[in-house]
Amino acid sequence: LVVAKDDPTHQALSAQFAGRKTRKIYHTIVCGHLPQSRGTVKVPIGRHPVHRKKMAVVKNGRDAETGYHIIEELKEAAFTEAKPHTGRTHQIRVHFQHIGCPVVGDPVYGGRSARLLTDATGYKAPRQLLHAQSLTFTHPQSGSLTTVEAPLPNDFLDALEFLRIR
């Protein structure tokens, strides 16, 4: 979360987000095994044709691209870094669901995979395990590149410990 104290700063930050000049990195735990250790999901996203509160991969959606790589293989899951190159609503969640590996604990896009993970490992997530790891932007006043990082929360660390292959 970035907060601007005045309107010119807000406008400058908004322009960076709109112009895709920021860099966002997320950490997540996804269900199952990803098709490759590193990859890019590049499929359009739009409103789900039936469930209007959900997003989905749709033919006439807006372009969306998410890069990812596996940080660590887990029991029936993977600890993954995701880098959205576009900023669509629910983009990371929809893209991982699309490739068959939804975010662990995602009540909207997790579905059957989440149940299979719980059945196979005994782990039931308290929430969706998607974490905004870092945000890099150009500071509006100084012009310097600024990175803000957030450590993994305890429940995320607990999930990693539970799902680690020993």
Side-chain angles (χ1 to χ4, degrees):
L1 178 66
V2 177
V3 179
K5 290 185 174 183
D6 56 50
D7 196 48
T9 302
H10 175 260
Q11 301 236 351
L13 288 170
S14 292
Q16 286 184 60
F17 279 97
R20 298 183 187 154
K21 303 292 184 199
T22 60
R23 188 177 73 221
K24 298 170 265 183
I25 298 175
Y26 291 82
H27 283 171
T28 187
I29 300 176
V30 297
C31 299
H33 301 288
L34 289 160
Q36 51 198 33
S37 63
R38 177 178 302 275
T40 300
V41 183
K42 190 174 182 177
V43 289
I45 293 176
R47 288 270 167 219
H48 191 285
V50 176
H51 305 287
R52 303 301 293 162
K53 291 186 178 184
K54 286 176 70 171
M55 304 304 281
V57 171
V58 293
K59 182 180 170 185
N60 295 324
R62 296 177 70 195
D63 290 342
E65 181 178 348
T66 304
Y68 72 86
H69 77 270
I70 295 173
I71 297 170
E72 181 181 356
E73 290 283 355
L74 305 168
K75 291 180 206 164
E76 303 301 321
F79 177 32
T80 307
E81 181 174 282
K83 295 179 182 177
H85 300 291
T86 50
R88 307 291 171 237
T89 302
H90 300 178
Q91 177 176 319
I92 293 170
R93 297 162 65 195
V94 171
H95 276 171
F96 278 118
Q97 178 200 36
H98 178 71
I99 61 173
C101 297
V103 172
V104 170
D106 189 333
V108 177
Y109 302 102
R112 184 172 178 260
S113 296
R115 289 188 297 279
L116 291 173
L117 177 71
T118 299
D119 290 347
T121 66
Y123 179 74
K124 181 149 175 51
R127 63 175 180 91
Q128 69 179 350
L129 297 177
L130 178 61
H131 173 71
Q133 180 64 31
S134 69
L135 172 65
T136 301
F137 58 93
T138 302
H139 192 282
Q141 266 77 47
S142 70
S144 65
L145 208 55
T146 303
T147 299
V148 180
E149 295 181 328
L152 290 171
N154 288 335
D155 61 349
F156 199 112
L157 294 170
D158 292 344
L160 284 172
E161 188 59 33
F162 191 97
L163 295 169
R164 281 211 163 98
I165 300 168
R166 290 180 182 65

